[in-house]
Amino acid sequence: MPTLTPTLWDEFTNGDRRACARLITLVENHPDAIPDVHDQLATRLGKAIRIGITGPPGVGKSTLNALLALGLADRGHRVGLIAVDPSSPFTGGAFMGDRVRMDRLVGDDRIFMRSLASREGTGGLSPATPYVADVLEGFGMDRILIETVGVGQAELDVMACADIVVLVLQPSTGDSIQSLKAGIIEAADIIVVNKADIPGVELALQALRFALGLGKGRKDRPVPPLMPTSAQQSEGIDKLLDEIEAQAKRLVDSGRHLEMRRARIAREIRSGIERCLWEKYAARADAESGIAHAAEDLARSGGSPYPFIGDACAKINITLDRKAETNDSQDR
Amino acid sequence: MATDTKIKVVVGKPGLDGHDRGAKVVARALVEAGMEVVYLGLRQTPESIVAAAIEEDADVIGLSVLSGAHMTHFPKVMELMKEKGIGDRLLTGGGIIPTKDQETLTAMGVGKLFGPGDDPSLIVNYIQDWVKEHRREN
Ligand SMILES: Nc1nc2c(ncn2[C@@H]2O[C@H](COP(=O)(O)OP(=O)(O)OP(=O)(O)O)[C@@H](O)[C@H]2O)c(=O)[nH]1
Ligand SMILES: [Mg+2]
């Protein structure tokens, strides 16, 4: 079973890009290794701003992301980029084409770009996305751009792992704002209308203004600014960067960034406990067959599954055991 | 679980010439076989290909070289892979490669190369077998 070896960790902390890439592969392919990786990374996390870039397919997310990465790097940041593409539910394979738009980033030491297949993830992200972002932050990146799958309708999971959500649309989306997935406009902190070089931008902006005026948009935050850009002609990019950086500063100054981090850690703890309890139960020899029998009985003769659940839980003996008991305690 | 680990392939087309139909056909075949393929597109340099392969932690680099320039592109990429510490990954691809060129390239550490007439399943099988044999620990 692959694990985090001291050599790999040394190389990683020395800034070896190969080691960073291998650590990402480790958390992506071997969830069992995540606790150990996290123990090591923990003291390096908490500062980066994570920016989710979401929106329908083909609106120019990758093209825009490349420019944002360069712009942020020019403003003194180190930038991690994650681009998620859909895995085929039939073959498990994935075609990841975002790099085609990111040629200019290759070989730039201030930027680290990684493509992820969505695998069994459902909300436009791969399940490993937050951990990959952690690895990139641990590697020294203080701005992490996360491009979601351009699913027919942009999805919402990105909210859970991004501090700022940028929704990217294009002029033709103007006609179909009603058809945008409920919630996606509300999720946005910034709405970009890209491809402003083609006709229809004004109409799209109007339609969006109208929709926002109708009370779409977030209740707990200001109405998201509408920003036209042309990634192809590098227009509107500086303004967008200004807005992102202004929001980042507000998040940090107001304590909201810390608050979101707190919520994320609480979620991680909750799901860690869930996973641990399930694994304890599943490790029992009769776990699967027990469930199968109970389900069969209940389906046939009726009755509530809860007594069985109660019994099962009572049998779980709680201790978190790790393959290698780590003794370096790293309290937060 | 480890046996089920996805194979990750970076596919690109070095050089300034032509179109990328061949590269895309191969990329699609690999995806259909369940691999995760990072497609780089046209006009790649050996440097950009190797830099991308490092960040993606690819098991395999696949190049499409139908221009006849295989004796420059493959050796250059192989050399860079070794220099940057990823000489343990597979370099393969397609081109119109005479037997004696394939022999020279093999001696440099380049894997098997396939012709435009070969069935894409040949490269799929070749990659799957190679990775099975050379699986890295992590
Ligand atoms: N006219 C115009 N075309 C653009 C602009 N930005 C991107 N494009 C083009 O739009 C197409 C899609 O761009 P991508 O950046 O790949 O879009 P994406 O949203 O990342 O696409 P997916 O990841 O497939 O969802 C490409 O052909 C780009 O060249 C723009 O500002 N203006
Ligand atoms: Mg994209």
Side-chain angles (χ1 to χ4, degrees), chain A residues 3 17 25 94 96 99 115, chain B residues 36-37 39 55-57 138:
Chain A
T3 51
R17 297 170 79 84
T25 307
M96 307 191 270
R99 272 189 183 268
S115 317
Chain B
E36 295 182 343
V37 178
Y39 184 69
E55 290 186 347
E56 298 294 349
D57 196 21
N138 65 46

Side-chain angles (χ1 to χ4, degrees), chain A residues 61-62 98 147:
Chain A
K61 295 181 295 296
S62 299
D98 303 290
E147 176 183 339

